[in-house]
Amino acid sequence: MTQKILALDKYKKNITDYLNNFLAQEEKILAKLSLDDNVFDTLKNFLLLGKMSRANLLILSYEILQSNPADLSLKEILPFASALELIQAGLLIHDDIIDQDQKRRGQNSIWQYYALQKSSYNQHYGKSQAICLADLAFFLANQLITEGCAGFNSSNELKNNRPYNQKSFDIQQLINREISQVVMAEMLDVQLAIDEKIPSLEQIMQMYLYKTARYSFSLPLMLAGHLADQSPTIIKQLSQIGEKIGLIYQIQDDYLGIFGDNKKTGKPILSDVREGKKTIFYYYLLKSNTLKSQEKQLLNDCFASQKIEVKQGLALKKLFSSHSLKPVNAQLNQLNQEALTIIDQLNNKQLEKLLKQILVFAQNRQH
């Protein structure tokens, strides 16, 4: 299992070094404003706490898909990989504001960090500064994508003596559309939490697909396919595989939110319940035919409540275990089989091995 996790860490140092150099360069170029906080240090520290799995997945899959290993250049691929991590950072910062999460990656969330900077705790200040920092991360990511396309095009025009303008357009369009869908799925997540009615399983899976699955797995895989000049058929298969693995990843995230170790996850246990999140575990719990009236009352008392007592928390875990685990595991098994079926159609043993390792990682991760 350790080897599978390490596979998504292979290029973390390369990505970290690249991001450090890029942020230092941009800090020198951008205007010197008299801010109380060094925003580049704050962003860098937050970035470097991440696993950088999306960036690693992009590089690892590109490494395999590249037809000529001699052509592999980390210098060409690192701008795109680093951009994915900046986008991830921005999305997480916004997500913590929306969910009012005070912790992220075992430390204060960015908005909480800023709120605590003032002598009198100031949530408005904290959230306002965090929104701006996340926006900065998005624009810096766009800068990296632009630079990556320019560098990639220049290098490949020399090799192939043909323009790569269409490839640049396809890459930027792919990233923009996928991240636009993340934003819309975040809006759906908020909508589902506010609505009094129970969402359908289809709505929940749709939200998971576009908020997490596609941009976390499909996007890096598809981007690698575009950069390596793969056929539309291969890119479509990579997209589908990413969706299956990503859904498994998100459902495992929900599992850890209930049954995980908060020291490993970096977030409080049952935070989804406190925030009124209508997850797949919540769906199956409410749909259970054997849920007793007092158990429903317990869920109602705790759902969207910031004050869940220890005794209530233990009882909730027992409820989810009794009523939700079996149908959720059935859903996971189905997704796993669907992923394996598509992976086996790739006709690329090295890529199949990598994707099967990542599939196992998504199913068994503990943080």
Side-chain angles (χ1 to χ4, degrees), residues 148-175:
C149 286
F152 203 90
N153 292 353
S154 175
S155 172
N156 282 279
E157 281 179 18
L158 290 173
K159 292 172 191 173
N160 301 295
N161 193 30
R162 64 186 176 94
Y164 266 61
N165 291 338
Q166 184 59 47
K167 177 184 280 192
S168 292
F169 176 80
D170 291 343
I171 287 169
Q172 294 182 70
Q173 184 182 68
L174 170 66
I175 296 171

Side-chain angles (χ1 to χ4, degrees), residues 270 273-274 301-303 305-310 312-313 316:
L270 295 174
V273 177
R274 291 186 179 89
D301 290 343
C302 296
F303 194 69
S305 169
Q306 294 299 314
K307 296 179 181 179
I308 299 178
E309 297 175 2
V310 174
Q312 289 176 313
L316 277 175

Side-chain angles (χ1 to χ4, degrees), residues 24-122:
Q25 174 186 318
E26 291 300 306
E27 184 178 9
K28 290 177 182 177
I29 294 171
L30 296 178
K32 303 296 185 292
L33 302 178
S34 54
L35 293 166
D36 291 340
D37 181 62
N38 185 321
V39 295
F40 281 90
D41 281 348
T42 300
L43 180 58
K44 180 177 68 176
N45 293 337
F46 183 73
L47 272 167
L48 301 188
L49 287 171
K51 298 184 284 292
M52 301 191 179
S53 55
R54 292 160 186 81
N56 271 282
L57 178 56
L58 168 58
I59 299 174
L60 287 165
S61 49
Y62 176 74
E63 191 176 35
I64 294 169
L65 290 167
Q66 174 60 258
S67 56
N68 185 357
D71 285 345
L72 178 64
S73 170
L74 280 182
K75 185 179 179 181
E76 291 178 358
I77 203 75
L78 277 170
F80 300 105
S82 300
L84 291 184
E85 291 307 317
L86 277 165
I87 292 168
Q88 165 72 348
L91 290 171
L92 290 180
I93 292 169
H94 279 171
D95 194 57
D96 287 340
I97 296 168
I98 292 168
D99 293 342
Q100 303 185 68
D101 282 335
Q102 297 182 1
K103 294 292 181 181
R104 169 68 69 176
R105 293 171 172 170
Q107 298 188 3
N108 287 328
S109 59
I110 294 295
W111 75 263
Q112 178 76 344
Y113 160 76
Y114 278 119
L116 291 166
Q117 277 192 344
K118 296 303 174 185
S119 54
S120 58
Y121 180 73
N122 191 319

